[in-house]
Amino acid sequence: MLASEQKKMIEALRYKTSKMLSRDKYDYEMYQKRDKDEEDLDSLSLRRLREIYDKYADKK
C-alpha cells in the first residue's frame, strides 16, 4: 500500500470517530498521529487500518 492510499483512508475516517468503538478510535488516533509524523505503517498496522476503514467508511 502506498503512503497516499494510507493518507486517503485516514482522511476518510476523520469524521467517523464519533461512531467508532473505543478500541477502534484509539487505534485510529494512533495511526493519525503516525501519519502526521509521516511515518509509514507496518503490515499489521495497515491490516488493522484497513479493518477500521472497511467497518466505518462510507461505501459508494
Side-chain angles (χ1 to χ4, degrees):
M1 177 179 297
L2 299 173
S4 61
E5 293 173 338
Q6 170 185 321
K7 190 168 204 65
K8 286 179 185 178
M9 287 195 319
I10 291 172
E11 288 294 318
L13 292 170
R14 173 179 276 173
Y15 300 107
K16 305 295 183 186
T17 56
S18 63
K19 297 179 181 180
M20 290 183 186
L21 300 174
S22 61
R23 179 174 183 259
D24 295 338
K25 186 175 182 177
Y26 176 79
D27 289 344
Y28 168 73
E29 289 172 350
M30 298 280 52
Y31 300 143
Q32 192 175 29
K33 288 176 187 177
R34 290 173 70 179
D35 184 59
K36 185 178 179 183
D37 293 339
E38 297 180 5
E39 184 178 330
D40 290 334
L41 299 177
D42 57 24
S43 62
L44 293 175
S45 297
L46 285 173
R47 188 177 313 136
R48 178 71 178 129
L49 178 61
R50 174 67 67 182
E51 289 172 5
I52 294 170
Y53 180 80
D54 290 342
K55 189 173 182 181
Y56 296 104
D58 292 332
K59 305 293 187 241
K60 292 184 180 183

